């Protein structure tokens, strides 16, 4: 194989491979094998669970979770789906990758303990890179091509808890923005919000959701110092500008008066950091505000 033909066939460059046929009919469970030679296992591989469910022709959908290993809700949800969904329930194909960054998931961490890789920040990946870069490359070049829709389930992980919600990208183009809002209504999460994220989605028909958006820095409350974070409001609260958001208590000097932080603007509390410890610069809360839709 010369260099030109290698460059043309990106998927062939990946060291990763699924041990099930992702295009065959019916339901199959298996693993994406990530070659990883370590002291404990010289010729070993990391097994990333993967499931294919296919019934004839129809849309091709990819669902993944565990891109951040400590975000447990999506991983449990997709596990439940794997155990209950059968080919007769669908038309088309669904491929489920419930713990995409499997090493991170096994460690209960946002990032991989092997290379500190944050899978969500490593696309389109590198076939010759670190383990997490190789996983990103395989997902981008082998799993996603040919899929009509893809869903990536995230949550707040170890440091944040979110109100159940759907996130979609903000577009300058009004027609595209209208499609995104249509998609959010179709998905029907209790709250939907729009922020600057890199990817777009296609559309379907409407159902009720509260449409909100995240604006600039004033939507966020950050820790001004390291300490013990005491939240003063809960998820779903409607807050006013200037309202106290949190107190930071000082572990080393508990006799020191805690620092009180306030919201910079009014809004819905969409996301809250999980107590206890915070460091200066950690996000403690972020707000969303309603938009017309
Ligand atoms: Zn995440």
């Amino acid at each position: 194989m010369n260099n030109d033909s290698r460059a043309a066939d990106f998927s062939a460059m990946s060291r990763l491979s699924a041990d099930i046929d992702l295009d065959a009919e019916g339901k199959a469970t298996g693993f994406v094998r990530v070659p990883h030679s370590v002291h404990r296992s010289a010729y070993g591989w990391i097994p990333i669970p993967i499931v294919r469910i296919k019934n004839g022709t129809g849309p091709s959908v990819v669902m993944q979770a565990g891109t951040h290993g400590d975000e447990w809700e999506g991983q449990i949800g997709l596990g439940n789906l794997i155990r209950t969904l059968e080919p007769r329930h669908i038309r088309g194909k669904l491929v489920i990758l419930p713990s995409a960054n499997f090493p991170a998931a096994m460690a209960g961490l946002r990032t991989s303990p092997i290379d500190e890789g944050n899978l969500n920040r490593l696309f389109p990946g590198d076939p010759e890179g670190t383990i997490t870069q190789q996983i990103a490359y395989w997902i981008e070049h082998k799993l996603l091509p040919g899929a009509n829709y893809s869903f990536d389930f995230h949550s707040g992980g170890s440091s944040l808890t979110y109100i159940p919600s759907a996130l979609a990208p903000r577009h300058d183009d009004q027609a595209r923005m209208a499609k995104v809002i249509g998609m959010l209504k179709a998905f029907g999460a209790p709250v939907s919000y729009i922020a600057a994220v890199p990817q777009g989605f296609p559309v379907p028909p409407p159902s009720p959701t509260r449409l909100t958006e995240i604006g600039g820095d004033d939507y966020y409350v950050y820790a001004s110092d390291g300490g013990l974070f005491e939240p003063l409001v809960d998820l779903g609260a409607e807050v006013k500008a200037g309202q106290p958001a949190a107190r930071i208590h000082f572990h080393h000097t508990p006799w020191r008066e805690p620092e009180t932080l306030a919201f910079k603007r009014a809004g819905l509390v969409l996301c809250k950091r999980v107590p206890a410890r915070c460091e200066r610069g950690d996000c403690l809360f972020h707000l969303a505000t309603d938009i017309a839709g």
Side-chain angles (χ1 to χ4, degrees):
M1 206 187 264
N2 65 34
N3 285 340
D4 288 347
S5 63
R6 278 184 61 180
D9 186 0
F10 291 110
S11 65
M13 291 167 64
S14 178
R15 295 186 184 133
L16 283 60
S17 58
D19 63 7
I20 57 172
D21 182 347
L22 297 180
D23 296 315
E25 286 291 315
K27 183 173 181 177
T29 63
F31 301 98
V32 179
R33 300 180 175 204
V34 187
H36 187 47
S37 175
V38 292
H39 173 77
R40 192 191 57 78
S41 182
Y43 304 134
W45 41 272
I46 298 163
I48 305 177
I50 191 164
V51 177
R52 177 213 71 232
I53 302 170
K54 185 165 186 283
N55 182 18
T57 53
S60 174
V61 177
V62 170
M63 290 186 176
Q64 75 180 62
T67 299
H68 293 127
D70 61 342
E71 296 174 6
W72 50 275
E73 295 93 332
Q75 299 185 63
I76 290 173
L78 290 186
N80 291 341
L81 190 65
I82 286 168
R83 291 188 302 278
T84 52
L85 197 69
E86 297 298 332
R88 69 177 187 277
H89 299 134
I90 66 165
R91 291 228 184 283
K93 185 174 82 165
L94 174 62
V95 174
I96 304 174
L97 197 66
S99 297
N101 195 348
F102 191 70
M106 287 300 292
L109 297 173
R110 181 173 178 81
T111 55
S112 174
I114 297 172
D115 54 16
E116 298 288 319
N118 180 343
L119 179 57
N120 209 39
R121 306 284 190 273
L122 290 175
F123 292 97
D126 179 352
E128 304 293 332
T130 67
I131 293 293
T132 312
Q133 287 172 323
Q134 291 181 40
I135 294 170
Y137 187 88
W138 186 84
I139 291 171
E140 180 83 14
H141 296 88
K142 190 74 178 169
L143 184 62
L144 292 181
N148 301 110
Y149 304 92
S150 95
F151 296 84
D152 189 9
F153 294 93
H154 286 257
S155 49
S158 314
S159 66
L160 300 167
T161 50
Y162 268 85
I163 200 166
S165 52
L167 162 65
R170 177 179 284 127
H171 294 288
D172 292 333
D173 178 65
Q174 284 197 344
R176 288 194 74 188
M177 201 62 248
K179 283 189 174 184
V180 166
I181 287 175
M183 186 280 300
L184 288 172
K185 288 179 173 175
F187 195 80
V191 172
S192 303
Y193 68 105
I194 289 163
V197 292
Q199 289 185 355
F201 300 78
V203 206
S207 73
T209 186
R210 178 172 174 178
L211 278 173
T212 67
E213 66 175 345
I214 302 174
D217 199 53
D218 59 339
Y219 282 70
Y220 294 79
V221 177
Y222 292 102
S224 54
D225 212 337
L228 183 57
F229 161 52
E230 179 193 3
L232 299 178
V233 301
D234 214 338
L235 288 177
E238 304 284 348
V239 300
K240 297 175 181 156
Q243 182 174 334
R247 273 193 289 267
I248 297 176
H249 301 257
F250 301 101
H251 277 127
H252 293 291
T253 49
W255 43 87
R256 184 177 158 196
E257 190 62 26
E259 190 156 329
T260 301
L261 303 172
F263 291 103
K264 293 188 186 127
R265 59 162 301 129
L268 166 73
V269 177
L270 188 81
C271 175
K272 180 183 82 165
R273 182 179 175 81
V274 176
R277 179 78 194 172
C278 67
E279 299 299 337
R280 178 176 294 142
D282 282 344
C283 174
L284 303 180
F285 289 100
H286 76 74
L287 301 175
T289 49
D290 293 306
I291 53 174

